[in-house]
Amino acid sequence: MKVLVINCGSSSLKYQVLDMTNESLIAKGLVERIGLGGSVLKHEKVGAAEKAVIETSMKDHKEAIAQVIAALTNKDYGVISSMEELGAIGHRVVHAGEKYAASIIIDDTVIKVLEDCVELAPLHNPPNLLGITACKELLPGTPMVAVFDTAFHQTMPAESYIYALPYEYYEKYGIRRYGFHGTSHKYVAERAAAILDKPLSQLKLITCHLGNGASVSAIKNGKCIDTSMGFTPLEGLVMGTRSGDLDPAIISFIASKEGKSADEVINILNKESGVLGISGVSSDFRDIEEAVKSGSERAILALKVFAHRVRFYIGAYLAEMNGLDAIIFTAGVGENDIDMRELITNELNRLGIKLDLVKNKVRGKETIISADDSKVKLLLIPTNEELVIARDTYALTK
Ligand code: ADP
């Protein structure tokens, strides 16, 4: 059975087609500038010499998905003869609130629940829903599954997810820690168990998803017991452009000093802060590392602050789990940034965490990077959220 995986952003759409008989990727693509003019679809058939680039007007997600369908069935660069060949569609959905702790087949009730969750994820759930409705209209006979970023974290105990606010805000508005990047944390935890050749149910793991957005999770005996992102993906680690944790009183202080509204300040915390804000250079770690080479003190500081916060969470989760078997690095920075992995794990020897500086000189490859005598294993595991979505979709619809 072939599965189409769709990840809709506000003006973009990423997709993959996987053949679930052997979990192989057969095509992938990206649509950009949906509804903005200059829309473009870049489609790649695995094994083909070049990408197909389709530049045509796509005024909404429905038109974009119609173009994806045309590309998938194109006689030159398509991968299926008709859409009937597609067994199911898996949609990445960011927020399911407390409603779903696992992936689910999409029906009208699920769509209604996701609409109710829009206020919890106003930037993410609306485009996810647009993708779902467009597929429903264009491919009414194809079953669809929603796979949630928040689902994996639903196992957290209340002491991890309750904020110390008046309890009624949790009851009335659902204000609590939800956590994100769940499919990634889940995938790398399962891969870690396979690499370590131990059941996940007997392992204490800390998974570090360090990309543009970044989060750390504590996974004890296969269950997430804590994670750094919170009510929104703004909490926790310092990120590319997001501040992560800070004293909430800073928000009204900046608002009054700069004559801004709370929403405007939150926008700054989301888009102009993080390593970009500290370094003044870029949100991309490659640019910041270039700036370090030319002596930028603020670039050096940005990297140190980032590493400090990751270490801070590693220490906290080690204590929460009363022990640790492995730390996993994944996503853009975690998979590729050799120096950052070194900066994070430096001087943790007394905790039984010892990086092998030579083994660490690797990018984007599933491998062990700790020293042989390190009590805690350090693993590099490239994430694969699409595969998790395809697997769940296949399992629920086959
Ligand atoms: P997201 O999916 O959240 O957009 P990714 O997981 O793709 O992010 O991570 C993107 C980030 O990874 C880039 O902004 C960059 O900072 C970092 N990155 C990618 N490659 C490298 C590299 N070779 N060295 C250092 N950082 C890298």
Side-chain angles (χ1 to χ4, degrees):
M1 172 170 142
K2 295 189 178 93
V3 168
L4 170 64
V5 174
I6 290 189
N7 181 354
C8 278
S10 55
S11 64
S12 69
L13 183 165
K14 286 188 229 162
Y15 64 92
Q16 288 194 358
V17 180
L18 291 98
D19 182 346
M20 296 313 286
T21 49
N22 55 5
E23 294 192 336
S24 61
L25 176 69
I26 53 176
K28 64 178 178 176
L30 168 68
V31 188
E32 287 172 296
R33 300 191 58 81
I34 300 169
L36 298 176
S39 313
V40 58
L41 164 69
K42 291 177 190 148
H43 171 86
E44 195 180 338
K45 175 180 177 175
V46 171
E50 12 183 279
K51 284 184 188 175
V53 178
I54 297 115
E55 289 178 39
T56 180
S57 159
M58 293 177 236
K59 70 174 189 318
D60 55 26
H61 285 72
K62 190 171 169 190
E63 290 189 1
I65 287 170
Q67 288 299 331
V68 171
I69 293 172
L72 292 175
T73 50
N74 181 284
K75 65 176 175 12
D76 295 325
Y77 47 80
V79 288
I80 46 177
S81 52
S82 77
M83 289 313 275
E84 276 72 58
E85 245 188 81
L86 266 192
I89 303 171
H91 290 269
R92 178 201 179 203
V93 180
V94 169
H95 217 310
E98 291 186 320
K99 294 290 184 189
Y100 302 121
S103 304
I104 189 164
I105 294 187
I106 298 172
D107 59 15
D108 290 344
T109 314
V110 173
I111 292 178
K112 172 78 183 57
V113 168
L114 297 181
E115 282 167 355
D116 291 344
C117 289
V118 161
E119 66 170 1
L120 294 174
L123 298 179
H124 295 102
N125 271 30
N128 299 160
L129 274 161
L130 286 174
I132 292 171
T133 350
C135 285
K136 195 175 157 206
E137 283 170 32
L138 293 166
L139 304 162
T142 311
M144 299 198 287
V145 169
V147 180
F148 307 104
D149 263 33
T150 47
F152 181 62
H153 304 299
Q154 280 291 303
T155 49
M156 281 188 287
E159 62 266 33
S160 296
Y161 70 71
I162 288 290
Y163 290 114
L165 293 168
Y167 193 76
E168 73 214 53
Y169 295 152
Y170 165 59
E171 294 174 307
K172 278 202 288 192
Y173 310 124
I175 298 177
R176 51 158 284 177
R177 174 182 313 287
Y178 290 101
F180 301 88
H181 295 140
T183 42
S184 177
H185 289 288
K186 178 176 180 220
Y187 174 79
V188 297
E190 286 170 357
R191 285 302 310 150
I195 295 168
L196 299 172
D197 197 21
K198 289 205 177 117
L200 190 55
S201 58
Q202 289 171 21
L203 288 170
K204 293 173 179 176
L205 305 173
I206 295 178
T207 49
C208 306
H209 177 109
L210 312 178
N212 246 324
S215 65
V216 189
S217 290
I219 301 169
K220 188 176 176 183
N221 305 335
K223 290 202 163 73
C224 175
I225 62 146
D226 211 343
T227 192
S228 59
M229 280 182 169
F231 178 61
T232 73
L234 182 55
E235 196 185 345
L237 296 176
V238 167
M239 309 179 210
T241 62
R242 287 175 236 167
S243 64
D245 302 329
L246 43 72
D247 181 339
I250 292 171
I251 296 169
S252 59
F253 190 82
I254 297 178
S256 103
K257 288 283 181 196
E258 297 272 316
K260 295 191 186 301
S261 68
D263 278 350
E264 285 169 330
V265 178
I266 295 289
N267 200 39
I268 293 170
L269 300 188
N270 266 308
K271 299 197 178 137
E272 296 173 33
S273 302
V275 290
L276 166 68
I278 302 172
S279 69
V281 173
S282 168
S283 62
D284 192 308
F285 283 66
R286 289 164 289 197
D287 300 336
I288 299 173
E289 279 153 21
E290 279 305 311
V292 167
K293 284 186 202 148
S294 39
S296 161
E297 291 294 331
R298 275 172 57 187
I300 296 171
L301 181 62
L303 298 181
K304 281 187 178 168
V305 174
F306 181 87
H308 166 75
R309 297 303 297 172
V310 178
R311 267 202 311 275
F312 182 89
Y313 274 98
I314 289 174
Y317 292 166
L318 197 154
E320 268 197 79
M321 292 193 286
N322 189 20
L324 182 61
D325 294 297
I327 300 174
I328 296 113
F329 291 99
T330 194
V333 178
E335 291 167 26
N336 296 299
D337 198 329
I338 296 166
D339 295 342
M340 181 48 72
R341 288 195 302 260
E342 191 178 324
L343 198 56
I344 292 168
T345 48
N346 227 343
E347 296 178 32
L348 297 178
N349 289 7
R350 295 289 288 272
L351 296 173
I353 300 168
K354 204 162 145 195
L355 184 73
D356 183 315
L357 296 176
V358 176
K359 287 187 195 158
N360 184 44
K361 291 210 183 313
V362 59
R363 289 199 170 93
K365 194 178 136 209
E366 204 171 84
T367 184
I368 299 180
I369 53 173
S370 45
D372 292 342
D373 61 346
S374 181
K375 252 177 62 193
V376 175
K377 299 284 174 241
L378 298 170
L379 306 177
L380 194 172
I381 303 180
T383 193
N384 194 341
E385 289 160 281
E386 289 79 10
L387 181 58
V388 177
I389 297 174
R391 277 181 184 159
D392 281 10
T393 303
Y394 178 59
L396 286 168
T397 58
K398 70 182 168 192

